[in-house]
């Protein structure tokens, strides 16, 4: 009885302290300390894919994100222009990579050879040919990052195939099916170029108009969830209910 009375008194003290603290805080806070309506609204705004970081951080930050978001317009335009030139060269003009590399090497060696021999007639020193080497560290870092991403993708596919998340499984199947359809329309180089162009356009457009895109994406996501709930109730539940789980267990016991 004594312990119960002590617990009751401590509970009453906590309630009184909370009430007093709430009254003191509400009376002492000024209008300047209250969050503005804009801050309260932005805290509740839906963000695409549930992100909490800026688009620059989502893309990994650093120079690649600067290029995709056009922080330096000259570099971004140069990268996109180079990719476009390569696509036109290989896809439209049907040029081959090995032929291009050989022709570039032939041109470079011929120019250097002619310059080296021309300097003998004009009494000038021969051109200094740089010692060309591929640095080992960036290649190893790229290989390590690529290996990590491939292993992570394989782990995700294995987790999805284990049957733990039906929604994620159906999403992956639908995505691979759409990708297979797109792949039948164009070859890998064109698909890679389209993805490269999308990386240079979609993030920067979304970053500029995210306040208009996010509400529309929220409505679309709610509609997708609603349709999935209907599909789950009408189709998946019936299909799963027809699986003879009890008969299989009886057969195993027998």
């Amino acid at each position: 009885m004594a312990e119960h009375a002590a617990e009751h008194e401590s509970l009453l003290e906590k309630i009184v302290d909370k009430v007093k603290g709430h009254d003191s805080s509400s009376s002492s806070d000024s209008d300047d300390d209250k969050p503005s309506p804009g801050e309260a609204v932005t805290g509740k705004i839906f963000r695409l894919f549930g992100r909490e970081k800026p688009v620059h951080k989502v893309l990994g930050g650093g120079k690649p994100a600067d290029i995709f978001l056009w922080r330096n317009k000259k570099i971004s335009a140069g990268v996109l222009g180079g990719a476009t030139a390569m696509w036109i060269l290989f896809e439209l003009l049907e040029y081959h990579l090995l032929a291009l590399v050989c022709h570039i090497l032939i041109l470079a060696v011929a120019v250097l050879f002619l310059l080296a021999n021309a300097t003998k007639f004009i009494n000038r020193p021969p051109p200094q040919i740089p010692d060309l080497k591929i640095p080992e560290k960036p290649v190893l870092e790229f290989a390590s990052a690529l290996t990590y991403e491939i292993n992570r993708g394989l782990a995700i596919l294995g987790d999805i195939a284990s049957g733990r998340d039906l929604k994620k499984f159906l999403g992956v199947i639908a995505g691979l099916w759409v990708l297979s359809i797109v792949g039948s329309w164009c070859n890998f180089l064109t698909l890679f170029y389209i993805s490269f162009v999308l990386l240079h356009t979609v993030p920067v457009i979304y970053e500029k108009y995210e306040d208009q895109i996010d509400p529309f994406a929220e409505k679309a996501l709610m509609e997708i969830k609603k349709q999935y709930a209907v599909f789950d109730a009408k189709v998946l539940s019936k299909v799963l209910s027809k699986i003879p789980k009890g008969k299989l267990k009886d057969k195993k016991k027998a």
Side-chain angles (χ1 to χ4, degrees), residues 26 29 40 44 47 113 123 134 155 177 207 245:
S26 61
D29 289 342
K44 298 180 181 179
R47 291 302 179 190
F113 180 81
N123 296 323
I134 298 177
W177 180 66
E207 186 184 39
K245 296 181 180 179

Side-chain angles (χ1 to χ4, degrees), residues 7 11 15 23 181 203:
E7 291 178 358
L11 181 61
I15 294 174
D23 293 338
I181 294 176

Side-chain angles (χ1 to χ4, degrees), residues 23-80:
D23 293 338
S24 61
S25 61
S26 61
S27 60
S28 60
D29 289 342
S30 61
D31 294 335
D32 296 331
D33 295 332
K34 292 181 181 179
S36 62
E39 293 177 353
V41 172
T42 54
K44 298 180 181 179
I45 286 179
F46 171 84
R47 291 302 179 190
L48 196 61
F49 305 120
R51 65 176 183 86
E52 297 179 356
K53 300 178 181 179
V55 180
H56 189 271
K57 293 292 183 181
V58 173
L59 294 175
K63 293 183 178 179
D66 292 339
I67 293 174
F68 292 142
L69 295 176
W70 293 75
R71 294 288 191 265
N72 191 325
K73 294 183 179 180
K74 291 183 179 179
I75 296 177
S76 299
V79 172
L80 185 59

Side-chain angles (χ1 to χ4, degrees), residues 13-252:
E13 290 178 357
K14 289 181 180 179
I15 294 174
V16 172
D17 291 338
K18 286 185 178 180
V19 173
K20 289 182 178 179
H22 178 72
D23 293 338
S24 61
S25 61
S26 61
S27 60
S28 60
D29 289 342
S30 61
D31 294 335
D32 296 331
D33 295 332
K34 292 181 181 179
S36 62
E39 293 177 353
V41 172
T42 54
K44 298 180 181 179
I45 286 179
F46 171 84
R47 291 302 179 190
L48 196 61
F49 305 120
R51 65 176 183 86
E52 297 179 356
K53 300 178 181 179
V55 180
H56 189 271
K57 293 292 183 181
V58 173
L59 294 175
K63 293 183 178 179
D66 292 339
I67 293 174
F68 292 142
L69 295 176
W70 293 75
R71 294 288 191 265
N72 191 325
K73 294 183 179 180
K74 291 183 179 179
I75 296 177
S76 299
V79 172
L80 185 59
T84 304
M86 296 295 289
W87 179 76
I88 293 174
L89 194 65
F90 290 123
E91 185 64 22
L92 298 183
L93 301 180
E94 296 183 352
Y95 213 67
H96 297 285
L97 179 62
L98 183 60
L100 177 64
V101 173
C102 292
H103 290 166
I104 291 175
L105 291 176
I106 289 171
L107 181 62
V109 172
V111 170
L112 291 174
F113 180 81
L114 292 175
L115 289 176
N117 286 276
T119 54
K120 297 178 181 179
F121 299 99
I122 58 178
N123 296 323
R124 288 188 177 182
Q128 297 294 327
I129 300 176
D131 188 11
L132 300 176
K133 290 183 180 180
I134 298 177
E136 185 178 359
K137 185 177 179 181
V139 175
L140 293 177
E141 290 178 352
F142 175 77
S144 177
L146 182 62
T147 304
Y148 173 77
E149 294 297 334
I150 292 175
N151 290 333
R152 190 176 69 167
L154 293 175
I156 293 173
L157 288 177
D159 184 65
I160 293 171
S162 63
R164 298 173 185 173
D165 193 343
L166 181 60
K167 187 186 294 185
K168 190 180 292 184
F169 169 76
L170 294 176
V172 170
I173 294 298
L176 292 175
W177 180 66
V178 172
L179 188 61
S180 66
I181 294 176
V182 175
S184 64
W185 294 342
C186 55
N187 57 17
F188 178 75
L189 180 62
T190 303
L191 184 61
F192 179 79
Y193 175 69
I194 291 172
S195 303
F196 194 78
V197 172
L198 290 176
L199 280 174
H200 277 77
T201 53
V202 174
V204 66
I205 293 174
Y206 173 72
E207 186 184 39
K208 189 175 181 180
Y209 301 103
E210 60 180 346
D211 293 335
Q212 290 80 19
I213 295 174
D214 285 338
F216 177 78
E218 183 180 12
K219 294 179 181 178
L221 187 60
M222 291 176 63
E223 186 64 27
I224 291 172
K225 289 182 178 179
K226 189 185 298 182
Q227 295 299 327
Y228 175 79
V230 174
F231 176 76
D232 188 13
K234 292 184 177 180
V235 180
L236 293 180
S237 59
K238 294 181 180 179
V239 172
L240 294 176
S241 63
K242 292 181 180 180
I243 298 176
K245 296 181 180 179
K247 295 181 180 180
L248 291 176
K249 289 181 179 179
D250 296 336
K251 289 181 181 179
K252 288 181 180 178

